[in-house]
Amino acid sequence: MSRQSMRYLPKEKIVLAGLMFCSLFVLGCKKDNVPNPEASVTPTVVQKVEPINVFTPEHVVNLTRLTIAIEKYKQEHLSYPVSQRQKEAWDRLFNKAGEADAAWLEALVPNYIDSIPAITNNPDKLQYVYMSNGAHYKLLVLKPQDCEFVKSKSPELIDPRRDCRAYGYWTKKAVRW
């Protein structure tokens, strides 16, 4: 497809194509670099997703992996994993005592993702949060130190409600959560 013909594609189709490529890149290929058909997803997030490489920040990698798993879950179940607290509060990776919540997005493991990504360096008690009503969802990292860097490279990941206090992925109707 030429650049000129891409100008006429709706932005959403370009975003969806980007996430499809990313899902194949992240989840791998079969022997001889043939894409793994089990790796394809039908994404519905509004952000453009770039391929992951060694320069991709840890939280972007983790959130991308979770987003792909969430989308794969939706393909099979026809809805997103519903939040445990459903609009009362966000589901969180760490509880108030700072311990990892074993039930956080447990519906994804092991069928859609091998394990929930861990935060390897958490000096400021970073928090991954998720909210979903089944039809829409929002997945964020709160208080990331690399937010300005992510904002300069992928401003569409910055949560419009929280500016540089959070970034992540969400469906169109969850943008205001």
Side-chain angles (χ1 to χ4, degrees), residues 8-146:
Y8 299 107
L9 284 176
K11 183 178 178 183
E12 292 79 18
K13 287 191 178 186
I14 295 170
V15 170
L16 295 178
L19 187 54
M20 288 294 289
F21 174 79
C22 183
S23 69
L24 292 172
F25 182 82
V26 171
L27 298 174
C29 297
K30 284 186 171 180
K31 193 186 250 183
D32 302 323
N33 290 329
V34 175
N36 181 351
E38 297 171 1
S40 63
V41 295
T42 304
T44 55
V45 294
V46 297
Q47 298 84 349
K48 179 181 175 188
V49 178
E50 299 293 333
I52 294 171
N53 60 43
V54 295
F55 302 107
T56 305
E58 173 187 14
H59 305 301
V60 174
V61 171
N62 290 345
L63 294 176
T64 301
R65 289 183 59 223
L66 285 167
T67 296
I68 292 167
I70 289 166
E71 295 292 343
K72 288 179 83 174
Y73 179 96
K74 182 188 179 208
Q75 274 190 329
E76 190 170 317
H77 298 274
L78 304 178
S79 73
Y80 296 111
V82 177
S83 300
Q84 296 170 5
R85 296 181 184 97
Q86 294 188 25
K87 295 223 176 194
E88 292 174 24
W90 292 80
D91 289 350
R92 298 172 175 273
L93 176 58
F94 297 106
N95 63 24
K96 290 183 180 184
E99 300 163 344
D101 180 358
W104 193 73
L105 284 174
E106 69 181 342
L108 301 178
V109 179
N111 294 333
Y112 308 100
I113 193 168
D114 291 335
S115 63
I116 298 298
I119 297 174
T120 58
N121 184 7
N122 197 10
D124 297 320
K125 298 293 182 192
L126 292 170
Q127 183 69 270
Y128 288 167
V129 296
Y130 174 80
M131 184 180 286
S132 174
N133 60 6
H136 302 283
Y137 77 93
K138 196 168 198 177
L139 174 68
L140 301 171
V141 58
L142 300 179
K143 300 180 183 177
Q145 292 179 339
D146 61 354

